[in-house]
Amino acid sequence: MSESARPRIGIIGTGAIGGYYGLMLARAGFEVHFLLRSEYAAVARDGLRVRHAQLGELHLPQVNAWREAAAMPPCDWLLVGAKTTSNRELAPLIAQVAAPGAKVVLLQNGLGVEDALRPLLPASLHLLGGLCFICAHREAPGLVVHQSQGVCNLGYHSGPATAEERQALLEQGVTWLREAGIESSVIADLIQARWQKLVWNVPYNGLSVLLHSSTRPLMANPDSRALLQALMQEVVDAALACGYSLPDNYAQKLLAYTDRMPDYLPSMYHDFAQRREAELPALYAAPLAAAAAAGVDMPRVRMLYQALAFLQATAQQ
Ligand SMILES: NC(=O)C1=CN([C@@H]2O[C@H](COP(=O)(O)OP(=O)(O)OC[C@H]3O[C@@H](n4cnc5c(N)ncnc54)[C@H](OP(=O)(O)O)[C@@H]3O)[C@@H](O)[C@H]2O)C=CC1
Ligand SMILES: CC(C)(CO)C(=O)C(=O)O
């Protein structure tokens, strides 16, 4: 396959994110294979649907749906749409589905996720991060509701490519995403971009669970708004201490950004509501540890993390 020939794409974990991006790529004519677990039967029978905020109801009636990674054809690009908490168990499946020299893209939030997965993957595979700016959730088996946005930016983490090859590979991935109607850009510094995204996810994901609230009520109440801003500022300061600078007045900018968003329940809210394991290690433990290593405490973030850890532990009892 020449570099610019369209790749065969594998979606590893077909939930809100995997279902959304996989369907968008498939409807643009890419060959896409979907690994599913609980929703396999529904999707194999009825196909995959995205209720798109701008494009209306999108339906992929015939889906290349797979229940077993071992049965999937080798894929050139693997988009991992599972939660970060599944990465360890998914590593051998990713290696099984990967074509030689495949690009593995973690479409996930959080810090250190590529570092944790890298040692579990063959060295010949390229590992990338895909930062998704989108509001979407699973509404029913095989049905993803898209509320707004849809950007997916790509950054290189590690693998056999030289610096020049990395740039070309990222630009190629971005081009393919754009061909599918997905806004995308190359990320120059993946860790910086992960910190920057955490400034949103740390306050909103956790507070949505703790205060049982979507973004609009959290923004409207002066106490929760002040708390959101204080949590954001701790993350900005921690990123800076770790050597990653963020745009000026970033907390203010994100508050204004969220004021323009539709009312939204972050994905962690759905994890707690569905009694699924939440992404506490990648969204809270890893940034807290990185900040501590740089000599910075995030007391409000730590308290939020401890409260979420308590809720998760008691929910499991
Ligand atoms: N939703 C959003 O709007 C956004 C989410 N993100 C990030 O994207 C990532 C994915 O989130 P989201 O799409 O919401 O999560 P979902 O819970 O909707 O989807 C996760 C999917 O992975 C599947 N999965 C997990 N383990 C396996 C396995 N071993 N084999 C097969 N399938 C598996 C799950 O299947 P099963 O049904 O069996 O559990 C589920 O379909 C997270 O890191 C999140 O933080 C980032 C930006 C926005
Ligand atoms: C920040 C947001 C809400 C949209 O950009 C998102 O992508 C997320 O939930 O992780």
Side-chain angles (χ1 to χ4, degrees), residues 9-11 13-14 26 31-48 60-73 142:
I9 297 170
I11 305 293
T14 308
E31 180 183 339
V32 186
H33 294 263
F34 297 83
L35 180 68
L36 291 122
R37 194 170 54 182
S38 66
E39 301 188 359
Y40 170 79
V43 171
R45 187 185 61 236
D46 303 328
L48 200 52
L60 194 64
Q62 302 294 333
V63 177
N64 297 316
W66 303 91
R67 201 191 327 236
E68 299 291 337
M72 291 173 74

Side-chain angles (χ1 to χ4, degrees), residues 221-256:
N221 178 284
D223 286 313
S224 49
R225 193 176 177 107
L227 185 51
L228 287 164
Q229 184 166 359
L231 285 159
M232 285 179 179
Q233 197 53 50
E234 284 191 0
V235 184
V236 170
D237 293 342
L240 196 61
C242 292
Y244 302 100
S245 62
L246 304 183
D248 289 343
N249 300 320
Y250 194 55
Q252 280 300 343
K253 284 179 180 150
L254 274 191
L255 289 171

Side-chain angles (χ1 to χ4, degrees), residues 111-112 115 191 195 198-199 202 231-244 246 281-303 305:
L111 195 68
D115 290 345
I191 304 177
W195 270 109
L198 279 172
V199 182
V202 164
L231 285 159
M232 285 179 179
Q233 197 53 50
E234 284 191 0
V235 184
V236 170
D237 293 342
L240 196 61
C242 292
Y244 302 100
L246 304 183
L283 265 66
Y284 294 96
L288 278 163
V296 172
D297 190 17
M298 296 194 280
R300 291 182 179 85
V301 175
R302 189 160 30 81
M303 185 174 161
Y305 170 55

Side-chain angles (χ1 to χ4, degrees), residues 9-113:
I9 297 170
I11 305 293
I12 306 297
T14 308
I17 293 296
Y20 177 85
Y21 290 106
L23 180 142
M24 293 295 283
L25 287 156
R27 73 191 281 274
F30 287 86
E31 180 183 339
V32 186
H33 294 263
F34 297 83
L35 180 68
L36 291 122
R37 194 170 54 182
S38 66
E39 301 188 359
Y40 170 79
V43 171
R45 187 185 61 236
D46 303 328
L48 200 52
R49 287 174 199 276
V50 170
R51 194 164 293 155
H52 197 288
Q54 286 80 39
L55 305 174
E57 186 96 1
L58 307 177
H59 185 203
L60 194 64
Q62 302 294 333
V63 177
N64 297 316
W66 303 91
R67 201 191 327 236
E68 299 291 337
M72 291 173 74
C75 293
D76 307 302
W77 283 70
L78 290 167
L79 308 185
V80 181
K83 289 270 158 66
T84 49
T85 44
S86 302
N87 285 358
R88 175 164 284 278
E89 76 178 83
L90 284 173
L93 310 189
I94 293 170
Q96 243 170 1
V97 186
K103 287 80 183 165
V104 178
V105 188
L106 300 187
L107 299 182
Q108 299 173 328
N109 284 327
L111 195 68
V113 288

Side-chain angles (χ1 to χ4, degrees), residues 109 132-135 149 197 200-201 257 261 264:
N109 284 327
C132 302
F133 296 82
I134 183 169
C135 301
Q149 309 173 34
K197 191 156 196 299
W200 197 95
N201 291 114
Y257 167 89
M261 272 172 45
Y264 174 58

Side-chain angles (χ1 to χ4, degrees), residues 112-124:
V113 288
E114 292 87 7
D115 290 345
L117 186 64
R118 179 73 263 184
L120 308 176
L121 294 180
S124 59

